[in-house]
Amino acid sequence: MSVTLKVKLPSGAVKAMRFTTEMSMSEIAHTVHEKTKEGGEDHGMFQPPCDDAPNGRWLQNDRTMIYYDISQDDVIEYKKRHRAQKIRLLDDTVKTVLLDESTTVADIVANLAKKMNINNPEEYSLQRANKEPAKEEKKEKKDEKKDPNAQLTVNDEGWLKSTAVLGELGVEP
C-alpha cells in the first residue's frame, strides 16, 4: 500500500511525495534526497509535534511507516540531524559540541565521554538548562556537586531521561 506524505524540506518548501508503507525511514530519506537534491547523509526523517509525540520525534532509520502509524497526508520533515549545543562542564567551562539529535541522551553522553577521555560514561548524564543564577546563588552553586557533562545547569533538578532523544524532551539548541 502506498501513501502520499507532505515532506517539509530543509529549504522550507513542502512537497507531496508518494511512498509505500513498507519503506524504511532510511529508504524514504534516500528517496527524498534523490528527488529533491536537498540534504545529504547527515539528514533524517522527523515527525513534527502531534498527539503521539507532543515535542516531535526522530524516526529511526530501520523502522517503517507502519511502525510509526504514519498515514495519508501526514507531515514529516527531512532535516539535518546534527546541531551545535553548548555544554557546561565540571570546571564551569562551556564547550560547544556537535550532537546527533536523533540519538538518545545516553548515547550523547557516551560520545562526549569518549571525546573527553572519561572511562565511565554510565555515571554521567545531562541536565536541562537553566538561566544564569543571581550572584548570591552563584556562591552557593560552587559548593554543590556538579556533573561534568551537565548541560548549563544550576541545581540537581531537571535530569534528562537517558533513553529519550533531545527533541522528545523539548531541549532546544
Side-chain angles (χ1 to χ4, degrees):
M1 184 171 119
S2 63
V3 295
T4 301
L5 300 177
K6 295 174 185 166
V7 180
K8 185 176 178 186
L9 302 171
S11 64
V14 178
K15 291 198 175 212
M17 301 179 86
R18 184 172 279 292
F19 305 101
T20 63
T21 56
E22 293 83 23
M23 289 178 79
S24 70
M25 290 299 133
S26 63
E27 292 171 324
I28 291 173
H30 183 72
T31 301
V32 171
H33 174 65
E34 281 184 343
K35 288 184 178 180
T36 64
K37 304 295 185 225
E38 290 191 40
E41 292 295 319
D42 63 342
H43 284 64
M45 305 312 296
F46 181 81
Q47 187 176 30
C50 62
D51 292 337
D52 292 339
N55 291 319
R57 63 181 169 190
W58 283 96
L59 306 176
Q60 295 177 15
N61 283 335
D62 60 338
R63 305 287 187 181
T64 64
M65 282 194 281
I66 295 170
Y67 177 83
Y68 290 111
D69 199 27
I70 296 174
S71 56
Q72 185 74 19
D73 294 326
D74 280 358
V75 176
I76 58 174
E77 295 179 20
Y78 177 64
K79 67 183 208 176
K80 192 172 180 110
R81 283 189 262 199
H82 298 92
R83 74 167 186 208
Q85 183 70 47
K86 290 185 179 187
I87 306 289
R88 180 166 296 173
L89 305 174
L90 178 62
D91 60 358
D92 270 345
T93 59
V94 177
K95 293 191 181 251
T96 302
V97 294
L98 190 63
L99 300 180
D100 183 344
E101 284 191 282
S102 65
T103 61
T104 63
V105 170
D107 291 339
I108 291 170
V109 170
N111 288 334
L112 289 172
K114 185 176 179 181
K115 288 179 183 178
M116 298 172 61
N117 295 321
I118 296 174
N119 295 326
N120 49 350
E122 62 280 350
E123 294 181 15
Y124 300 94
S125 190
L126 299 175
Q127 283 184 314
R128 190 169 304 282
N130 290 331
K131 292 186 178 177
E132 197 58 33
K135 287 186 179 183
E136 302 91 42
E137 290 178 302
K138 280 187 180 180
K139 192 173 185 179
E140 295 172 2
K141 184 175 125 179
K142 288 186 178 185
D143 298 330
E144 292 179 21
K145 183 179 177 186
K146 294 183 208 166
D147 177 15
N149 290 335
Q151 177 194 352
L152 300 176
T153 188
V154 195
N155 59 29
D156 291 336
E157 297 176 9
W159 289 102
L160 300 179
K161 185 177 178 182
S162 63
T163 57
V165 297
L166 295 179
E168 292 172 355
L169 299 168
V171 176
E172 295 298 321

